[in-house]
Amino acid sequence: MLENKNVALYVSGGIAAYKAADLVRRLIKQGANVKVGMTASAMEFITPLTFQILSKHHVYTDTFDEREEDKVSHIHLADWTDIAIIAPATANVIAKVANGIADDFVTTALLATTAPIFVVPAMNSHMLENPATVRNLATLRADNRFVMEPETGFLAEGYEGKGRLPEPSTIVESVKQFIVSQQLDLPLKHKRIIITAGGTKERIDPVRYITNDSSGKMGYSLASVARDMGAHVLLISATKQLKRPLGVDVVEVDSASEMLEAVMAEYDSADIVVMAAAVSDYRPKKQAAKKIKKSDESLTIELEKTTDILYQLGHTKKNQFLIGFAAETNNLEVYAKEKLERKKADMIVANDVSKADVGFNKDTNEVTIFIPNSEPTIVSIRSKKEVAIEIFNVAIKQMRR
Ligand SMILES: Cc1cc2nc3c(=O)[nH]c(=O)nc-3n(C[C@H](O)[C@H](O)[C@H](O)COP(=O)(O)O)c2cc1C
């Protein structure tokens, strides 16, 4: 995937700059051609010579150090680049790139780059949480820059926090996934995909309902990733809170039975169905036509089972590849494997929603992917978009078997 790709690696002045040396080695091992640019602060942490030896190329540090008469080096590097990586990306470089500032070699070359830019922030947790950094990262994302999620752990400052540079091996994997999502040779081209998202609502009366904590963020991330991989996506959404992804067909539903109806209407023509929605298992047996008035008595609401959509899809499927989700608080593996078999799904994505930063309503997720007769794939904590890429990568590999 990285074979013969021209990678411009920009190193800025963070304590994790030394890890960029290992990153260069790993990128080259994957077949990439790597050229490195460094900020002046980065050179306080690691020398250009290290990168020159590893990359076997001149290291760019000074905008005005023009050694080739017929080339302007920052433009030449920018035009040569297939993918630009900023790792580590300091708060300062992030701020400059987000605002189009070009006052050194790195930021000038980045401003001139039309290739995709992959940003790997690394900094103290308080710098990361600073509203200015939050704003700048949001600007980068809005500008279609890919921002990798920093890791949580023991920081150089001597305390736990979010802001660590992910291990170079993790960065390389994420870059590879990113390349797949950017590729012209799109892996899901011509595939029709149904994705469900959000928590269904089961009415008690006109103003009350039963629902769950699902935000729909995982389903929406899956929808935009599937679209980027070339699929025709129908998103059946039980939430109205999230921004509709461009280029995706959206059908809004409320209840489990509406969701079932919407999925079944398109099921025959689908190649892949991803049931990421949290569907109510029960609904009130009777729905009051008028608001139930408060009284001194206690109130009992009788519940009946809803149709298990995943089970129904599994037991009526033809060639569709069926992906289910299992949000559990305990016995994850046992429940996921049981669900895979009983519902005749092709893949179960399980997450332990009792963990912090995982599952419902969060922006990050950590999942284990189960497929029949194979070892599970563990996807460590990362943004829901990155998790979505990994889910489709595993599904694509399995479908090609
Ligand atoms: C010991 C030390 C460690 C630093 N680590 C980081 C870091 O991990 N992330 C960061 O954003 N800034 C860090 N800084 C601050 C940056 O070096 C500083 O903001 C600098 O201006 C960044 O320049 P650059 O973005 O051009 O590389 C560190 C500074 C020092 C002295």
Side-chain angles (χ1 to χ4, degrees):
M1 202 165 297
L2 277 158
E3 193 82 8
N4 293 324
K5 289 271 184 305
N6 292 339
V7 178
L9 174 65
Y10 295 100
V11 183
S12 54
I15 194 74
Y18 73 96
K19 287 190 183 173
D22 188 26
L23 181 58
V24 172
R25 235 176 29 81
R26 288 174 185 276
L27 290 167
I28 290 173
K29 223 169 152 190
Q30 298 279 329
N33 310 309
V34 182
K35 291 187 181 180
V36 179
M38 298 176 76
T39 63
S41 306
M43 289 190 283
E44 298 285 338
F45 294 91
I46 183 165
T47 66
L49 184 63
T50 306
F51 291 113
Q52 182 182 312
I53 305 291
L54 291 172
S55 70
K56 299 188 173 57
H57 286 289
H58 163 71
V59 174
Y60 301 86
T61 58
D62 181 352
T63 324
F64 300 100
D65 176 15
E66 297 290 15
R67 350 185 121 215
E68 293 177 80
E69 293 76 10
D70 58 338
K71 288 184 187 106
V72 175
S73 58
H74 64 274
I75 303 292
H76 184 64
L77 178 64
D79 289 346
W80 170 87
T81 303
D82 291 322
I83 173 169
I85 304 174
I86 319 176
T90 56
N92 179 55
V93 146
I94 288 167
K96 288 204 256 180
V97 174
N99 290 284
I101 293 171
D103 63 355
D104 64 2
F105 184 90
V106 164
T107 49
T108 307
L110 281 164
L111 196 64
T113 296
T114 53
I117 298 178
F118 188 96
V119 185
V120 195
M123 65 196 71
N124 170 272
S125 53
H126 300 136
M127 290 169 83
L128 185 67
E129 286 157 11
N130 185 294
T133 308
V134 171
R135 207 166 45 236
N136 292 329
L137 287 171
T139 301
L140 289 180
R141 290 191 182 97
D143 288 347
N144 268 331
R145 312 311 185 194
F146 185 89
V147 180
M148 200 173 163
E149 207 60 43
E151 286 189 350
T152 302
F154 197 69
L155 301 173
E157 292 76 2
Y159 51 84
E160 288 278 322
K162 188 172 177 181
R164 275 170 57 91
L165 190 83
E167 286 308 312
S169 57
T170 312
I171 299 175
V172 170
E173 280 315 302
S174 196
V175 168
K176 280 161 67 180
Q177 290 169 9
F178 174 69
I179 286 173
V180 168
S181 75
Q182 299 284 312
Q183 258 174 0
L184 295 176
D185 169 24
L186 296 166
L188 292 176
K189 206 166 187 159
H190 306 306
K191 297 278 185 231
R192 297 180 74 83
I193 304 193
I194 301 174
I195 297 169
T196 65
T200 57
K201 290 177 187 157
E202 307 302 332
R203 287 265 156 221
I204 298 168
D205 70 11
V207 295
R208 302 182 180 95
Y209 52 77
I210 298 170
T211 190
N212 55 64
D213 277 330
S214 171
S215 63
K217 286 178 184 171
M218 191 66 238
Y220 274 62
S221 297
L222 284 157
S224 55
V225 166
R227 173 205 60 200
D228 293 346
M229 288 185 170
H232 176 273
V233 183
L234 170 62
L235 177 63
I236 299 175
S237 177
T239 176
K240 298 179 177 72
Q241 305 300 324
L242 300 175
K243 205 171 149 205
R244 288 179 170 207
L246 286 175
V248 164
D249 292 336
V250 182
V251 171
E252 284 177 357
V253 295
D254 276 329
S255 64
S257 66
E258 282 174 25
M259 182 167 277
L260 173 68
E261 200 178 311
V263 176
M264 290 320 276
E266 297 296 327
Y267 191 38
D268 280 351
S269 59
D271 298 295
I272 303 172
V273 180
V274 190
M275 285 296 301
V279 183
S280 279
D281 297 322
Y282 294 93
R283 66 170 159 243
K285 197 163 183 182
K286 285 196 195 110
Q287 238 185 56
K290 294 201 176 109
K291 184 181 168 196
I292 300 170
K293 295 305 276 179
K294 187 164 74 176
S295 76
D296 291 338
E297 299 300 309
S298 63
L299 176 69
T300 303
I301 299 170
E302 193 181 346
L303 301 177
E304 64 181 7
K305 285 198 84 169
T306 56
T307 306
D308 185 331
I309 305 178
L310 186 60
Y311 183 94
Q312 177 109 341
L313 296 175
H315 286 78
T316 54
K317 82 183 165 105
K318 295 181 182 110
N319 297 314
Q320 296 92 339
F321 189 86
L322 192 54
I323 304 175
F325 270 68
E328 305 291 353
T329 53
N330 56 316
N331 277 344
L332 191 76
E333 180 155 357
V334 174
Y335 288 143
K337 284 185 170 162
E338 183 272 332
K339 206 165 181 178
L340 189 65
E341 207 166 298
R342 186 168 54 81
K343 304 202 178 185
K344 292 197 192 301
D346 298 291
M347 187 166 135
I348 291 287
V349 180
N351 54 5
D352 181 347
V353 287
S354 66
K355 284 189 182 174
D357 295 329
V358 170
F360 288 155
N361 245 318
K362 306 285 186 334
D363 292 323
T364 50
N365 208 353
E366 178 184 281
V367 302
T368 307
I369 302 174
F370 295 89
I371 45 180
N373 310 318
S374 284
E375 283 300 305
T377 305
I378 295 167
V379 183
S380 61
I381 192 144
R382 59 196 72 183
S383 73
K384 285 192 168 169
K385 188 163 180 188
E386 290 171 280
V387 171
I389 293 171
E390 193 55 41
I391 289 170
F392 282 120
N393 282 345
V394 175
I396 290 162
K397 220 190 262 173
Q398 181 70 355
M399 283 189 292
R400 285 178 182 160
R401 268 191 194 155

